[in-house]
Amino acid sequence: MSGVKIPAAALAVVAGGVAAALHIGKLPPAVPALQATLGIGLVQAGFLLSLVQVAGMTLGLVVGLAADTVGLRRSMLGGLVLLGVASALGGCVGVWVADPMQAFAWLLALRALEGVGFLLAVMPGPGLIRAIAPAGSDKAAIGMWGAYMPLGVALALLAGPWFIASTGWPGWWWVLAATAAAAAAWVALAVPPDSARRGVPATRASDGWTLRLRNTLGASGPWTLALAFAVYSSQWMAVIGFLPAIYAEAGVPSGWSAGLTALAAGMNIIGNVMGGRLLQQGVPPVRLLRWGFIVMALGSVAAFAQIGGAPDTAWSLPPALRYLAICLFSLGGGMVPATLFMLSVRMAPGPATVSTTVGLMQQASSFGQFAAPPIVAWLAHRMGGWQWTWVVTVSLSIAGMALAARLMLPIDRRGAV
């Protein structure tokens, strides 16, 4: 495992994904500052938080198709540039627009642009890495790519409060604009142009986007991957996303809450990298998917299940062990996206449809992240606590294991992965 060398071009692609994910995670630490300066309520803040997921739900497949059409490198560069420009303009809004409602309207519009930029930046990732990484390191590199989202979100959760306290939320927007620009520069310098790469043929206009779309939607593999990604990401977001609220109810100081949440999210990074290395060593992908979903199921039961009595008197594991279980839930779950991203480049109908396949996965993932947290919150409200959260997560994990079993036949027919 230590002998696997990741090429610099693949690291540049991963850095581009992390820079894009920072823009997903920049809103949560900024919500109090936005409320204080613009006077927005929780509902308005919720729209800012969820707008990126709405973009993924509605545009994931379309943007993935566009990435396959314009070229993978060009798509990532365009997405990072769009993220940088939108974030820089958002910082300017905070300084130059005096009317709070006008400022909020501008931020909402720019957040929608960030959603499109995010999709353009991340859709080409697996296909780019597959094209530029040699056969001896491609699986490990794609495993690293699977960590782009938790790494970006964790960094934003940790760094955001410090930058906002020092420079205000407009300064935080400008810092991330500069980060996106730096990532775009690295991709431009390190990744060969689309026409210069070998291994994945350049998409021609004559290939026909309708044919590529029809081939992707008509194949069972992309749909199975998309559904598996949805049942993974929905439960991960539902658990990690509500950790601050769970800590607040338990009386954990707010200063500890951010660090504990970031650490739990960061464990997902280790799971992604570990999954990529295990794939590189020849562990079957279906086995990794099963391990990931089993650990998520067991971890959620250990973290949330209570035995007997009312929520305030029932027995459960001590808080330290429950937090450890959440960390294991996140770590084990990290093996799932690492495996699914690797399979996306193998199970796409053709080399020119990898980003389209990833777009379908992103669309399903965004829908799961959009739908699952309200379901978990409704259940917690009805039951007077979080003790039945494990019912949702275990059900989703069982669905994930069933979907993993469906992946065995196509993989076996196409050869060993």
Side-chain angles (χ1 to χ4, degrees), residues 4-5 38 41 58 79 98 104 135 160 207 234 250 291 296 313 357 366 385 417:
V4 178
K5 182 178 177 61
L38 301 182
T58 55
F104 173 73
D207 290 338
S234 58
W291 288 351
M296 293 186 86
T313 60
T357 299
S366 296
V417 295

Side-chain angles (χ1 to χ4, degrees), residues 104-146:
F104 173 73
W106 275 107
L107 287 179
L108 206 61
L110 291 170
R111 189 63 173 165
L113 282 180
E114 288 181 2
V116 176
F118 170 77
L119 293 173
L120 283 170
V122 302
M123 291 300 100
L128 263 179
I129 291 175
R130 176 71 189 281
I132 60 183
S137 64
D138 56 341
K139 296 184 181 71
I142 291 178
M144 290 185 63
W145 170 259

